[in-house]
Amino acid sequence: MSAAMLDPVLAHIDAHIDQTTEHLFSLLRIPSISTDPAYGQDCDKAADWLVEDLKSIGFDASKRATPGHPMVIAHAGSEGPHVLFYGHYDVQPVDPLDLWDRSPFEPTLEQGDLGPVIRARGASDDKGQLMTFIEACRAWKAVHGTLPGKISLFFEGEEESGSPSLVPFMRENAKELTADVAMICDTGLFGDDTPGIVSRLRGLLGEELTITGPSKDLHSGMYGGPAMNPARVLAKIIAALHDDQGRITVPGFYDGVPELPPEIAAQWEGLNFDQEGFLGQVDLSDLAGEQGRSALEMIWSRPTCEVNGIWSGYTGAGFKTVLPSQAHAKISFRLVGQQDPHVIRENFRAMVRALLPADCSAAFKSHGASAGSEMSIDNPAFDAARAALSDEWPNPAAFVGCGGSIPIAGHFKSILGMDAMLIGFARDNDAIHSPNEKYDLRSFHKGIRSWARILHRLYG
Amino acid sequence: MSAAMLDPVLAHIDAHIDQTTEHLFSLLRIPSISTDPAYGQDCDKAADWLVEDLKSIGFDASKRATPGHPMVIAHAGSEGPHVLFYGHYDVQPVDPLDLWDRSPFEPTLEQGDLGPVIRARGASDDKGQLMTFIEACRAWKAVHGTLPGKISLFFEGEEESGSPSLVPFMRENAKELTADVAMICDTGLFGDDTPGIVSRLRGLLGEELTITGPSKDLHSGMYGGPAMNPARVLAKIIAALHDDQGRITVPGFYDGVPELPPEIAAQWEGLNFDQEGFLGQVDLSDLAGEQGRSALEMIWSRPTCEVNGIWSGYTGAGFKTVLPSQAHAKISFRLVGQQDPHVIRENFRAMVRALLPADCSAAFKSHGASAGSEMSIDNPAFDAARAALSDEWPNPAAFVGCGGSIPIAGHFKSILGMDAMLIGFARDNDAIHSPNEKYDLRSFHKGIRSWARILHRLYG
């Protein structure tokens, strides 16, 4: 791995960053909003743009039809580890349009807190991020005359609308899509100077609960007292889901929850996570949750149970003396390690039923059940990526967790049997899904350089 | 009190019931919906109709302007106890109109489960009921040539829209409106064969509670665990409001709650209230609430705490992994005896604040605070009315309670210092406030006869 292979690539990237940015603008100008049928042709156009662009740097690229928006698949090379890179070319809707300072599909460079930012819908999520990888390939090709190794690309156009075609497409094309490792560029930096490689994702179990007491809404003056109030029953159930140490009381809940390996604990310790700032930015000062755990540990490695919604009775203006017939809650569990979502679902439902008083019944609706996943970071690509990122950024990269759930990573594991590495350069203030989305030019530029370094570590 | 005075009046009522019903129809044809400004003129027209009708039987009647719909005031006589009779001439809106079998303001006689029923908006609530009293006066006048004694009438036209003009008007006209006792015809029979005189009303304290945790809605994947979830805090608070015996835990809550006098307890026992049927009609089988109390005791003589509404987070279709910033509840207390609503409000708020974890705050909104009231049934009018009703109906009348709150009765007590007797002939299936409202012809006919008997007991 000689610096002679890498340095001219980095120099090329630096020398061409203006052209590269202008090139990204032409993709950003295509309003590829996947949820709105009015933009169907634009999604198609974005897919075509990518196919042409990939062909121009030597990929065997093609658009593949699905019942929804098309996939873009590209392959090149035969040497070294086989890497599959994933991104999505569709973007979020733009309304409310009047909150945008300028048109969402007329990208511009503006001044941001860390230098220039690229302002447009999709700049960060995910066009700007996916182009960091393509631009690294382009620079490599320009300098060395060939792409670095066995690389496939896989772009979808339905990520912002629930990816209905994704799983069937992956199943049908499993052989073509399976590689040694997947790389996904759709996440953020851990800190402005600290890249992270997401190597553990929490699973998500969603339950909707309806408690029914009396068969219709009653007058609380008439039936208040004699009749059981399902809103009170629901409150009792929710209150019973945690003990006074913040632990979840569903029977067997912690079966399969591992303690953090000491080396990962040490890495996280080293990140000097600003717990006070993290809470302070939403005006909290106290760490809730399981006692004796740090915030990072809670978010990345501990399971949770949260109430995402409750409703019952009269919720409008003024007052109505109703004794409601039903009370509802949406409750979700984030899962880690070997926790089995199906077992937890059954145990949760049994616990709720056991807490019901006479005359109340419970009905349940499932809203997804996915287990947590942890990548096998002994795949050498993980260490290569970590070293490469540590070379590019002021602070070393860490294997971090992700509190949320990223379905694509789970699909790569469960359908194609491969681990996924999530590396991204977005910042928390990128306003993805919101008006005035942006991507820092620094993220874009150092992102391209990061991928060049990773390619060099893998193939150089 | 000779039967010679009463019998011809009853005979006159029986002989003229068809004309009397037709006369009620002409009032029912006026669409005096008070909440809808489009019907303002109709409210006025209904008031005029009453003024003319009362004048025609010898009352000194007049319409009195208010900032809203007018009041109707009438006086007659100078002998005997001074009775003030109250009713309201406005009616509820009629939508959804397509659920009516025929036009709500074209009254008809139809067959019901206990004989003919008068079908129209306002038939039961309250035009049919208020006319029972006027028709008794009319029959008395027709038979005896004069009204029976010192009677005033007081009708408002805003009862179905919150009575905004009522209290100011009562204050301004206190002297004119004050009598020895008020009689209100806006309630129901205890059973189809058993009249009741409502002599105790529960008060109502309404509170709206907002718990705030983080300063904005958060992603539950990011903040679930470290951040306190206000929906969980709200659930804990609601769960803490009752102990496992069904008693309310707000400090000092039972101060001023009296035990039932044995003679009233015996009367209620004698009513043979069908507790099973009462619960069964809303598909309940178990008596919730304070252990060791009967349903009637709970509804009429015990205080309650009910959750009338809760809401927090995402309540739409599907799922959203939000950790809400706020959680809300509408909570009401029914009060009896000497319970002080203002003290209970403060104690409730203090209890909530004491249950808050760090980082959560509570805000409160008041939705009314009225104490319970118990009429002094030693006023001889109460015994007279009870005896008269017992003469008319198959079963003896009882002094009953009312689980709901009837503000007008409280106003008579607090503003004019007089007790109110609530006597009414509505049935539970009258569909007041609903499509296809009706009033049994039997209720109307026996209601008129009941008032004639009461007038006879008071003045005969």
Side-chain angles (χ1 to χ4, degrees):
Chain A
M1 247 178 322
S2 70
M5 289 289 284
L6 176 63
D7 289 346
V9 175
L10 297 178
H12 183 92
I13 290 167
D14 295 348
H16 293 81
I17 188 65
D18 291 349
Q19 281 155 266
T20 306
T21 305
E22 197 49 58
H23 188 59
L24 170 61
F25 280 15
S26 79
L27 177 59
L28 292 173
R29 286 192 190 101
I30 306 170
S32 47
I33 302 170
S34 58
T35 51
D36 187 340
Y39 296 90
Q41 286 201 331
D42 296 298
C43 290
D44 216 56
K45 201 171 150 193
D48 287 334
W49 189 99
L50 285 167
V51 168
E52 290 314 306
D53 197 47
L54 291 168
K55 279 182 178 168
S56 76
I57 54 175
F59 280 96
D60 176 13
S62 59
K63 188 169 75 171
R64 307 285 178 85
T66 75
H69 301 305
M71 306 287 180
V72 171
I73 306 286
H75 303 288
S78 58
E79 303 290 310
H82 184 190
V83 167
L84 177 81
F85 180 84
Y86 164 92
H88 64 90
Y89 64 79
D90 64 320
V91 300
Q92 278 275 318
V94 294
D95 33 68
L97 198 56
D98 57 336
L99 294 186
W100 286 79
D101 294 332
R102 51 189 85 210
S103 172
F105 298 107
E106 289 170 19
T108 49
L109 274 181
E110 293 175 21
Q111 202 50 38
D113 61 342
L114 293 183
V117 301
I118 301 160
R119 182 88 62 190
R121 170 56 87 229
S124 177
D125 183 18
D126 183 44
K127 288 171 174 172
Q129 299 238 67
L130 74 83
M131 287 306 291
T132 57
F133 188 86
I134 294 178
E135 294 302 343
C137 292
R138 192 191 321 277
W140 193 282
K141 176 83 187 303
V143 170
H144 299 297
T146 162
L147 288 162
K150 189 170 184 187
I151 297 170
S152 297
L153 298 105
F154 175 29
F155 298 129
E156 71 161 317
E158 300 181 331
E159 201 270 351
E160 303 294 2
S161 51
S163 298
S165 310
L166 183 66
V167 168
F169 186 86
M170 284 173 83
R171 290 218 169 99
E172 277 163 38
N173 300 275
K175 208 177 153 203
E176 182 179 358
L177 293 170
T178 302
D180 294 318
V181 69
M183 294 188 174
I184 301 171
C185 192
D186 199 14
T187 50
L189 294 166
F190 172 77
D192 289 338
D193 290 338
T194 312
I197 300 169
V198 177
S199 61
R200 48 172 72 217
L201 293 160
R202 292 196 294 189
L204 183 61
L205 170 65
E207 283 281 278
E208 188 167 325
L209 166 64
T210 297
I211 309 283
T212 303
S215 55
K216 55 183 170 185
D217 283 358
L218 303 175
H219 187 298
S220 75
M222 192 58 169
Y223 276 94
M228 184 45 73
N229 184 325
R232 284 174 45 203
V233 175
L234 180 67
K236 253 197 159 124
I237 289 168
I238 291 173
L241 286 170
H242 292 79
D243 68 15
D244 58 6
Q245 305 292 303
R247 283 172 66 89
I248 293 140
T249 56
V250 173
F253 186 76
Y254 288 94
D255 293 354
V257 177
E259 283 302 322
L260 209 54
E263 66 277 15
I264 296 291
Q267 266 191 32
W268 292 0
E269 196 66 37
L271 290 172
N272 293 315
F273 179 64
D274 177 14
Q275 188 166 293
E276 236 172 83
F278 171 76
L279 293 171
Q281 68 185 332
V282 294
D283 297 307
L284 297 175
S285 59
D286 220 58
L287 192 61
E290 280 182 276
Q291 285 184 23
R293 308 273 178 185
S294 74
L296 267 199
E297 209 183 342
M298 285 184 194
I299 303 167
W300 290 348
S301 72
R302 300 297 300 175
T304 65
C305 164
E306 282 304 337
V307 179
N308 305 110
I310 50 173
W311 69 106
S312 177
Y314 182 68
T315 60
F319 214 88
K320 198 169 161 184
T321 50
V322 65
L323 191 160
S325 165
Q326 295 194 315
H328 312 263
K330 293 181 197 266
I331 292 172
S332 62
F333 299 87
R334 301 275 171 181
L335 306 180
V336 303
Q338 303 305 312
Q339 281 182 299
D340 183 330
H342 303 287
V343 170
I344 290 175
R345 165 167 285 153
E346 286 320 308
N347 291 352
F348 166 72
R349 292 181 177 187
M351 175 179 170
V352 167
R353 289 195 194 98
L355 287 168
L356 291 178
D359 279 342
C360 280
S361 63
F364 301 89
K365 202 190 237 171
S366 302
H367 285 288
S370 62
S373 59
E374 221 169 297
M375 311 307 160
S376 315
I377 55 176
D378 45 356
N379 183 321
F382 279 81
D383 266 331
R386 189 165 173 238
L389 288 168
S390 301
D391 287 344
E392 173 64 24
W393 295 83
N395 298 334
F399 291 123
V400 301
C402 176
S405 303
I406 301 179
I408 180 71
H411 298 325
F412 281 142
K413 186 87 181 183
S414 64
I415 301 172
L416 305 181
M418 62 181 169
D419 286 312
M421 214 186 292
L422 294 103
I423 296 170
F425 312 101
R427 295 177 64 206
D428 287 348
N429 66 3
D430 278 359
I432 64 167
H433 297 207
S434 298
N436 299 318
E437 179 177 351
K438 61 89 178 162
Y439 195 45
D440 282 56
L441 185 59
R442 176 175 182 264
S443 290
F444 185 56
H445 187 172
K446 289 179 83 64
I448 300 168
R449 289 172 54 99
S450 295
W451 288 117
R453 289 183 187 276
I454 292 169
L455 294 174
H456 177 245
R457 289 259 172 191
L458 289 173
Y459 305 106
Chain B
M1 245 179 319
S2 72
M5 289 288 284
L6 176 63
D7 289 346
V9 175
L10 297 177
H12 183 91
I13 290 167
D14 295 347
H16 293 81
I17 188 66
D18 291 350
Q19 282 156 263
T20 305
T21 306
E22 197 48 60
H23 188 57
L24 169 61
F25 280 15
S26 78
L27 177 58
L28 292 173
R29 286 191 191 101
I30 306 170
S32 47
I33 301 171
S34 58
T35 51
D36 188 340
Y39 295 90
Q41 285 202 333
D42 296 297
C43 290
D44 214 57
K45 200 170 153 195
D48 287 334
W49 188 99
L50 285 167
V51 168
E52 290 314 307
D53 197 47
L54 291 168
K55 279 182 178 168
S56 76
I57 53 175
F59 281 96
D60 176 13
S62 58
K63 188 170 75 171
R64 306 284 179 84
T66 75
H69 301 305
M71 305 288 180
V72 171
I73 306 287
H75 303 289
S78 57
E79 303 290 309
H82 184 190
V83 167
L84 176 81
F85 180 85
Y86 164 91
H88 64 91
Y89 64 78
D90 63 320
V91 300
Q92 277 276 318
V94 293
D95 33 65
L97 198 57
D98 58 336
L99 293 187
W100 286 78
D101 294 332
R102 51 189 85 211
S103 171
F105 297 108
E106 290 170 17
T108 50
L109 275 180
E110 293 175 19
Q111 202 51 36
D113 60 341
L114 293 182
V117 301
I118 301 160
R119 182 88 62 192
R121 169 57 85 227
S124 178
D125 182 17
D126 182 44
K127 288 172 174 171
Q129 299 238 67
L130 74 85
M131 286 306 291
T132 57
F133 188 85
I134 293 178
E135 293 302 342
C137 291
R138 191 190 323 276
W140 193 282
K141 176 83 187 305
V143 170
H144 298 299
T146 162
L147 289 163
K150 189 171 184 185
I151 298 171
S152 297
L153 297 104
F154 175 29
F155 298 129
E156 71 162 316
E158 300 180 333
E159 202 270 350
E160 303 294 3
S161 51
S163 297
S165 309
L166 183 66
V167 168
F169 185 86
M170 285 174 82
R171 290 218 169 99
E172 277 163 37
N173 300 276
K175 207 175 154 204
E176 182 179 0
L177 294 170
T178 303
D180 294 317
V181 69
M183 294 188 175
I184 301 172
C185 192
D186 199 16
T187 49
L189 295 165
F190 173 75
D192 289 338
D193 290 338
T194 312
I197 301 169
V198 176
S199 61
R200 48 174 70 219
L201 294 160
R202 292 196 294 189
L204 183 61
L205 170 65
E207 283 279 278
E208 187 168 324
L209 165 63
T210 296
I211 308 283
T212 303
S215 54
K216 54 183 171 185
D217 283 359
L218 303 175
H219 187 297
S220 76
M222 191 58 172
Y223 276 94
M228 183 45 72
N229 184 325
R232 284 174 46 201
V233 175
L234 180 66
K236 249 193 163 133
I237 289 168
I238 291 173
L241 285 170
H242 292 79
D243 68 15
D244 57 7
Q245 304 293 301
R247 283 173 65 88
I248 292 140
T249 55
V250 173
F253 186 75
Y254 288 94
D255 293 354
V257 176
E259 282 303 319
L260 208 54
E263 65 277 14
I264 296 290
Q267 266 191 32
W268 292 0
E269 196 66 36
L271 290 171
N272 294 315
F273 179 65
D274 177 13
Q275 189 166 292
E276 237 171 83
F278 171 76
L279 293 172
Q281 68 185 332
V282 294
D283 298 307
L284 297 175
S285 59
D286 220 61
L287 193 61
E290 280 182 276
Q291 285 184 22
R293 308 276 179 185
S294 74
L296 267 199
E297 208 183 344
M298 284 183 196
I299 301 166
W300 290 349
S301 72
R302 301 297 300 175
T304 65
C305 165
E306 282 303 339
V307 179
N308 304 110
I310 49 173
W311 68 106
S312 177
Y314 181 70
T315 61
F319 215 89
K320 198 170 159 181
T321 50
V322 64
L323 191 160
S325 165
Q326 295 193 316
H328 312 263
K330 293 181 197 267
I331 293 172
S332 62
F333 300 87
R334 301 276 172 182
L335 306 180
V336 302
Q338 303 306 311
Q339 282 183 298
D340 183 330
H342 303 287
V343 170
I344 291 175
R345 166 166 283 153
E346 286 319 309
N347 291 352
F348 166 72
R349 293 182 177 187
M351 177 179 169
V352 168
R353 287 193 194 99
L355 287 168
L356 291 178
D359 280 341
C360 280
S361 62
F364 300 90
K365 202 189 236 173
S366 302
H367 285 288
S370 62
S373 59
E374 222 170 298
M375 312 306 160
S376 315
I377 55 176
D378 46 354
N379 182 321
F382 278 81
D383 267 331
R386 189 164 174 239
L389 289 168
S390 301
D391 288 344
E392 174 62 25
W393 294 82
N395 298 333
F399 292 125
V400 302
C402 176
S405 303
I406 301 180
I408 180 72
H411 297 325
F412 281 143
K413 187 87 180 182
S414 63
I415 300 172
L416 306 180
M418 62 181 169
D419 285 313
M421 212 186 293
L422 293 104
I423 296 171
F425 313 101
R427 295 177 64 207
D428 287 346
N429 65 4
D430 277 359
I432 63 169
H433 296 207
S434 298
N436 299 317
E437 177 176 351
K438 62 88 179 163
Y439 194 45
D440 281 57
L441 185 58
R442 177 176 183 265
S443 290
F444 186 56
H445 187 173
K446 289 179 83 66
I448 299 169
R449 290 172 54 98
S450 295
W451 287 117
R453 290 182 187 275
I454 292 170
L455 294 174
H456 177 244
R457 289 262 172 188
L458 289 173
Y459 303 107

